[in-house]
Amino acid sequence: MITARSTPNIALIKYWGNRHNEFRLCANDSLSMTLNTPSLDITIDHADTLSITSTNKEMTEKNILRFKKTLELIESYLGTIEPTKVSNLSIKIDSHIPPAIGLASSAAVFSALAKAISGLVDFDLTDEQISIMARLGSGSAARSIFGGFGAIRNEENQFIDGCKGWQVADEHHWNLHDIIIVPSTEEKKVGSSEGHPQAQTSPDFAARVDAINGHRQQECIDAILSKDFEKLQKVAEEDCMEMHHCMQTQDPPLNYLSDETYRILDEVKALRKAEHLPVLYTMDAGPTVHLFCTDEAKERIAEYAHTQEGCQIFEASIGPGAHLV
Ligand code: PMV
């Protein structure tokens, strides 16, 4: 029996769209910050059949199928290293992450699952190999294997391992915070797994992939390595709004942002201009607004967030990534 703990990561360069749907090979490189909270634990053991329980999510047939498919893919990937049976496991998920509110619970789930599997098998796997296993369940999960700032890079092939996670900088490099404003806790109707395969139908998708793989990912890496918040803000906000534009122009269109999201963005822009605050906004597949800021701005941004009526507020900082406990 083995337990792994992991947390969500929030992307600064967003992954949107696949170049291979079954293997979840991401169309574009991406980059995120791994959070220190909220966390979840996954405990696994060998079993005769697959069984999954979760403390805060109903295990529907669709959910169980996703695990089944992921474990089959992990097993075939492990077959390229050392053939190992991992499709029959007992899986217990003990989660403190509210599901489907834009807090990337699937990234935490599948990074913890991959990390736990690496502890169950009787040979060593590198973080890069564990990130590949995580990606087979959820593309963005590859980044939560790493503490600090994790990224995904593509290789020019269509193999199951053709898209890998890596660490840009660890959690001691730059202590950023994420003040999270959740306007709605309604479960979203279309999840990102259903949205990715349709991304190519946006007329602006190809240009987005070229911009990221051509220069934007590198600009974001440079901003992080040189701790240049202004540069990070520019590149992250541009990328976030461009991803939402692609989502809104794909077929069928996906609109994850709400009036509340736009109102908060306007207020944050006005606040940072008036008070010269190092804060940036970003949103994933939901109306939740993530306000990344430095130590200097944290108190003021948290104060602003707590004035939002009817919203849930979470406060997180940079975290250590998936680990065995
Ligand atoms: O890993 P998935 O399939 O949950 O996709 C994540 C998509 C976004 O959250 C919108 C962007 C990202 O890079 O995390």
Side-chain angles (χ1 to χ4, degrees):
M1 197 159 75
I2 199 111
T3 301
R5 180 166 299 160
S6 193
T7 50
N9 66 75
I10 305 301
L12 293 156
I13 300 292
K14 311 285 188 188
Y15 145 52
W16 192 247
N18 293 331
R19 57 190 179 85
H20 187 301
N21 285 321
E22 192 196 1
F23 291 167
R24 289 182 195 264
L25 296 176
C26 311
N28 63 276
D29 294 352
S30 60
L31 197 161
S32 60
M33 182 171 97
T34 300
L35 304 184
N36 62 345
T37 184
S39 68
L40 63 74
D41 288 355
I42 285 197
T43 302
I44 61 169
D45 207 349
H46 292 292
D48 295 335
T49 54
L50 173 63
S51 70
I52 312 164
T53 59
S54 168
T55 50
N56 79 341
K57 195 173 169 134
E58 196 200 334
M59 275 299 140
T60 59
E61 209 175 312
K62 191 174 157 200
N63 288 333
I64 294 167
L65 259 177
R66 181 164 177 185
F67 275 89
K68 192 169 177 289
K69 181 79 203 155
T70 302
L71 290 172
E72 280 165 15
L73 287 167
I74 290 177
E75 200 168 278
S76 66
Y77 168 60
L78 287 177
T80 67
I81 304 165
E82 192 164 319
T84 316
K85 188 116 185 83
V86 292
S87 48
N88 288 333
L89 295 178
S90 77
I91 302 177
K92 290 196 184 80
I93 305 172
D94 184 6
S95 176
H96 303 285
I97 308 175
I101 57 165
L103 265 187
S105 54
S106 65
V109 167
F110 289 103
S111 55
L113 179 67
K115 190 74 188 180
I117 290 174
S118 77
L120 193 69
V121 298
D122 50 16
F123 50 93
D124 289 341
L125 289 160
T126 63
D127 281 349
E128 184 177 275
Q129 289 170 323
I130 301 168
S131 81
I132 291 165
M133 298 199 290
R135 197 205 70 235
L136 295 169
S138 164
S140 58
R143 300 183 308 238
S144 274
I145 295 302
F146 305 93
F149 298 93
I152 291 175
R153 69 179 151 78
N154 275 287
E155 285 170 2
E156 284 183 19
N157 64 58
Q158 297 266 355
F159 301 134
I160 196 165
D161 62 351
C163 186
K164 298 168 174 169
W166 62 285
Q167 187 178 53
V168 176
D170 73 18
E171 64 274 27
H172 307 294
H173 172 68
W174 196 10
N175 191 30
L176 294 184
H177 308 278
D178 181 12
I179 309 294
I180 306 164
I181 305 179
V182 186
S184 153
T185 48
E186 236 179 76
E187 283 228 23
K188 58 193 171 200
K189 289 181 189 71
V190 184
S192 40
S193 286
E194 285 92 42
H196 287 297
Q198 297 307 112
Q200 280 97 334
T201 60
S202 164
D204 298 311
F205 175 74
R208 167 174 168 74
V209 172
D210 285 351
I212 295 173
N213 294 351
H215 60 88
R216 193 180 295 151
Q217 171 88 345
Q218 190 57 46
E219 281 164 21
C220 192
I221 294 169
D222 294 345
I224 287 165
L225 294 180
S226 60
K227 301 185 200 173
D228 183 337
F229 195 87
E230 222 176 291
K231 186 170 175 175
L232 185 64
Q233 176 199 321
K234 203 168 155 290
V235 72
E237 290 180 0
E238 174 186 40
D239 189 70
C240 166
M241 294 322 286
E242 194 187 80
M243 175 187 74
H244 284 282
H245 171 78
C246 274
M247 290 166 155
Q248 288 158 2
T249 53
Q250 69 185 54
D251 185 15
L254 280 177
N255 195 355
Y256 287 118
L257 308 182
S258 67
D259 290 349
E260 277 285 88
T261 312
Y262 289 109
R263 179 188 60 75
I264 294 165
L265 296 194
D266 285 345
E267 288 181 8
V268 168
K269 283 185 220 168
L271 183 69
R272 79 174 164 208
K273 193 166 172 206
E275 301 186 21
H276 308 287
L277 295 170
V279 58
L280 68 83
Y281 56 81
T282 189
M283 291 78 66
D284 285 336
T288 297
V289 180
H290 295 266
L291 297 174
F292 278 57
C293 57
T294 60
D295 286 336
E296 179 195 341
K298 188 195 161 203
E299 216 170 296
R300 181 69 185 99
I301 298 304
E303 182 191 316
Y304 163 76
H306 286 287
T307 62
Q308 299 303 304
E309 273 179 34
C311 296
Q312 278 192 62
I313 310 299
F314 293 89
E315 294 184 31
S317 300
I318 196 158
H323 52 280
L324 298 179
V325 288

